[in-house]
Structures are given as structure tokens and as C-alpha cells.
Amino acid sequence: MKVKVKRWHTVAIWQWDMEDSTDLCGICHGPFDSCCPDCRIPGDNCPLLWGKCTHCFHLHCINKWIETNDSEGTCPMDRQIFEAAT
Amino acid sequence: MIKIWTMKKENAGVDKKKQKVTAGQIRVQKDLSELDLPKTMKMTFPVPDDLLNFELEISPDEGFYAGGTFKFSFSVNGNYPHDAPSVKCLQKIYHPNIQADGKICLNILREDWKPVLTLNSVMVGLQYLLLEPNADDPLNKEAAEDLRTNRRNFETNVAKSIRGGSVNGIQYDNVMTH
């Protein structure tokens, strides 16, 4: 018997490559797989940023905090100077 | 036909309003949904639609201030959680870390605020301030000196003040409820 595929419908899901991408960003309390509150579409335009301290946030969330005077450039979790992990 | 068009327009208006929700509001909603208040605390929303401005009543069941009910106003701005909520005490009370005009000295409301903290953190902080007044970081210097030098005398003065009495010639609000 010959089978002819006339058409097919593909579905894909994505998630960030990390231990538990359903975890929440400590700043906005939204899931990492979702975007920061200022963005509308999750994905490469709203990426994550890890610090050397191993804490992770939405890039836009941690940037907004680091830019405030009160932050003094510290990680909001451990109050050490926040340096991006390379 | 005409009716359908006007309805569509009205609906579009509603959608636009909904989209105006700020990042701060979203975060406040999350904080509020995760709140599990102990029986010593009660929240009220003077304007029901406004989640950014509300009041909290704390009725400590132990410590110097047990028996009283203390009202605080919370005001959260659109930049929350990057800005701390601003919190004031609505009554005039005799407390080393609370000024007569309601200004509160609590580290996480000022220099130690960070955006991973929540409304719950602030509420716990306020409750703690009522249980353990801190003489080292005073706004009311007389009260702090009183607490530092003679804990028993401080206790007597607090008991007097929360019943509407005067301490050092200043009258305080009667806040006794239980």
C-alpha cells in the first residue's frame, strides 16, 4: 500500500535553556519563559541575564533596577555588585 | 448594522483602557494574590478599584503595643517594585521609630529596599517594628532614650500613650481596641 502525505501540521514549543524555566523572575514575579512587564512577546527580544552570583532575571528587569541610584549596582537578591556572567 | 459598529467602538475603548495597566500594577496584583495575612492584620481599600492605595491595620497580640490597633496607609507608585511603597502611620503614637507626623523609620522602606521584596515583606517589617521597637535608629529620640535606659518605664509610657494619655507633655491617640 502506498501512502501519500498530502499535508502536515507541525507544532513546536520553546523554553529557555535553564534548570527550571518555569521559575519566576525575582523582580517582576513573572515566569522566565514569559516576558518582562514592559514587553509583549517572549523570546529573544526579552532575554534573561545571569549574574556571576548565579542569580537570574529578565534583562529588562535587572537593567531597570541597576539604573536606579538606590541599587548602587547591586544584585537585588544578595546585595553584591551585580556582574553579568560571561 | 449601525448598532454593531457602535458596540465595536465601545469595546475597543474598553480594551485600550485595560492595556494601560502599568508594570507596577501587575506586580501589586501578584503581591496581593500571594498575601496570606495573619489574624493580627487587616487590609482595607478605601477606593475599591484602586489597588495602589490601601490601608493596613495591625493589632499586635503581644509586646509593648498589644491591645491597640495601628493603622498604616500604603501608596504604591507605577514604578513599583523599583521604588519602595510609601507607608505612613495614620495615628500619633509613642514609638522610637515612628514620628508624630506618621513618618516611619524602617530600613526596607528606604536604603535597604530592593525589588525582590514584596508588600508582604513590608507588612512583616511593620509588625516586627511594633513587637521590637529599635532604639538604635530613632525618629523619636525621647522614646528611644526611654527604651534604652529603662525598659520598664518605656513600657509604662507606651501603655499610657496608646490609651490616649500624654508622655513628656505630648498627647497621643487612643488606639485601644481589645
Side-chain angles (χ1 to χ4, degrees):
Chain A
M1 188 183 77
K2 269 193 176 174
V3 176
K4 202 170 169 188
V5 178
K6 284 186 170 168
R7 60 175 180 191
W8 66 88
H9 185 68
T10 53
V11 176
I13 61 161
W14 72 272
Q15 59 184 55
W16 292 113
D17 183 12
M18 61 192 297
E19 207 169 292
D20 183 4
S21 63
T22 61
D23 257 0
L24 306 180
C25 167
I27 296 176
C28 69
H29 287 199
F32 285 125
D33 277 344
S34 168
C35 52
C36 84
D38 295 323
C39 289
R40 303 201 48 158
I41 303 162
D44 287 338
N45 289 330
C46 187
L48 307 180
L49 183 69
W50 275 265
K52 282 185 178 161
C53 54
T54 73
H55 295 122
C56 180
F57 307 94
H58 289 121
L59 172 69
H60 299 152
C61 291
I62 186 69
N63 269 353
K64 202 168 167 185
W65 167 243
I66 296 291
E67 280 164 13
T68 64
N69 288 332
D70 294 338
S71 76
E72 293 170 343
T74 59
C75 169
M77 295 295 238
D78 56 25
R79 296 210 174 102
Q80 305 203 35
I81 295 294
F82 188 88
E83 283 182 87
T86 42
Chain B
M1 198 57 190
I2 293 163
K3 223 181 177 182
I4 291 172
W5 276 112
T6 51
M7 273 171 71
K8 255 199 165 174
K9 269 185 192 163
E10 277 167 18
N11 282 340
V14 169
D15 282 349
K16 267 188 189 161
K17 262 185 198 165
K18 273 185 186 161
Q19 281 168 7
K20 273 195 173 171
V21 175
T22 61
Q25 266 168 296
I26 296 173
R27 175 58 200 279
V28 167
Q29 276 171 6
K30 287 187 188 193
D31 281 16
L32 293 177
S33 68
E34 282 162 20
L35 268 185
D36 186 16
L37 291 181
K39 61 180 194 309
T40 51
M41 291 193 209
K42 206 177 104 190
M43 278 175 93
T44 48
F45 293 86
V47 181
D49 288 341
D50 182 4
L51 295 180
L52 299 182
N53 294 285
F54 55 87
E55 290 176 16
L56 176 74
E57 287 181 4
I58 305 181
S59 313
D61 53 10
E62 54 181 323
F64 297 115
Y65 296 89
T69 294
F70 301 88
K71 288 185 188 168
F72 299 90
S73 68
F74 279 65
S75 171
V76 184
N77 73 27
N79 209 28
Y80 181 79
H82 296 281
D83 293 350
S86 62
V87 181
K88 287 208 149 175
C89 181
L90 297 174
Q91 295 139 322
K92 192 174 173 187
I93 62 170
Y94 182 71
H95 189 294
N97 313 106
I98 300 177
Q99 220 163 256
D101 65 0
K103 198 175 162 214
I104 300 165
C105 181
L106 179 64
N107 64 337
I108 55 168
L109 285 176
R110 313 201 175 276
E111 74 277 12
D112 287 340
W113 173 258
K114 29 185 201 156
V116 296
L117 296 174
T118 62
L119 291 175
N120 190 51
S121 326
V122 175
M123 293 175 182
V124 170
L126 291 174
Q127 168 134 302
Y128 180 71
L129 216 51
L130 289 170
L131 290 177
E132 278 297 329
N134 175 8
D136 298 328
D137 198 9
L139 275 179
N140 181 337
K141 291 199 176 95
E142 289 82 26
E145 193 56 32
D146 193 13
L147 171 62
R148 197 172 14 228
T149 53
N150 190 341
R151 233 178 136 82
R152 286 292 272 294
N153 194 54
F154 177 76
E155 192 175 359
T156 315
N157 280 336
V158 169
K160 213 196 293 173
S161 71
I162 59 178
R163 286 167 178 78
S166 301
V167 178
N168 299 329
I170 299 169
Q171 202 192 350
Y172 293 91
D173 288 343
N174 183 353
V175 294
M176 292 303 287
T177 51
H178 55 284

